[in-house]
Amino acid sequence: MKDKLQITFHNVHASPVLEAKITESVNKLERFYNRIISCRVAVDTPHRNQNKGNLYHVRIDITVPNGEVIVNRNPSDDASHTDIYVAIRDAFEAARRQLQDYVGLQRDETRKAVVVTTED
C-alpha cells in the first residue's frame, strides 16, 4: 500500500487488539490485490439499542487505481453486529467481494482493449 492505513474509532474504545485485527484484515486484502493505494477504516456505534445492545457500524474506503471501493456495513443489516469482531469480519468479507468484482471488471476491460486480428 502506498499510503498509510487510517483507522478511526467513534464512540468505541480503541484497543491495540482491534487495531491489530483491522491491520491483519487489510493485509489479507493486499495479498488478494496488491495495487491498493490507501485504506481508511471507521468503526462506530451510532446509538444504543436497548433490545439488541450496541450495534457496530464499519465503513471501509479503499482507494485503487482508477477508482474507489467503499463498504458501508450498517448495524441494522445484521443483529450479530453486537460483536465488534463479527462486524469487522463481515465488512472485510464484503470488501474482498467488491475487490473481486473490481479486478474482474479490470480484466474484462483489458481483454476488450486488446484486439487480436488474424488474416487468412
Side-chain angles (χ1 to χ4, degrees):
M1 184 173 353
K2 291 181 182 178
D3 294 338
K4 190 173 129 180
L5 169 65
Q6 296 175 348
I7 304 172
T8 307
F9 295 97
H10 298 282
N11 303 320
V12 177
H13 177 68
S15 74
V17 176
L18 280 177
E19 290 182 13
K21 179 66 178 166
I22 292 170
T23 301
E24 175 188 334
S25 298
V26 170
N27 289 338
K28 286 181 183 179
L29 288 179
E30 280 189 294
R31 284 193 299 258
F32 173 74
Y33 185 65
N34 64 356
R35 296 184 64 199
I36 294 175
I37 297 169
S38 69
C39 183
R40 292 174 304 284
V41 180
V43 181
D44 187 14
T45 53
H47 50 77
R48 292 180 179 255
N49 186 328
Q50 291 181 351
N51 296 330
K52 295 181 183 176
N54 285 341
L55 294 174
Y56 294 97
H57 174 255
V58 180
R59 179 182 169 101
I60 305 170
D61 297 329
I62 303 169
T63 305
V64 292
N66 301 322
E68 191 168 37
V69 174
I70 298 173
V71 176
N72 203 6
R73 302 296 290 188
N74 290 316
S76 60
D77 291 345
D78 194 349
S80 67
H81 288 179
T82 56
D83 183 345
I84 193 166
Y85 294 100
V86 172
I88 291 169
R89 180 201 66 201
D90 289 351
F92 276 97
E93 278 297 312
R96 183 188 54 77
R97 288 190 302 272
Q98 286 189 26
L99 272 176
Q100 281 178 326
D101 292 344
Y102 174 80
V103 169
L105 288 173
Q106 293 299 311
R107 286 184 184 148
D108 288 345
E109 288 181 18
T110 302
R111 287 185 192 136
K112 289 178 185 175
V114 176
V115 177
V116 178
T117 59
T118 59
E119 294 182 24
D120 292 328

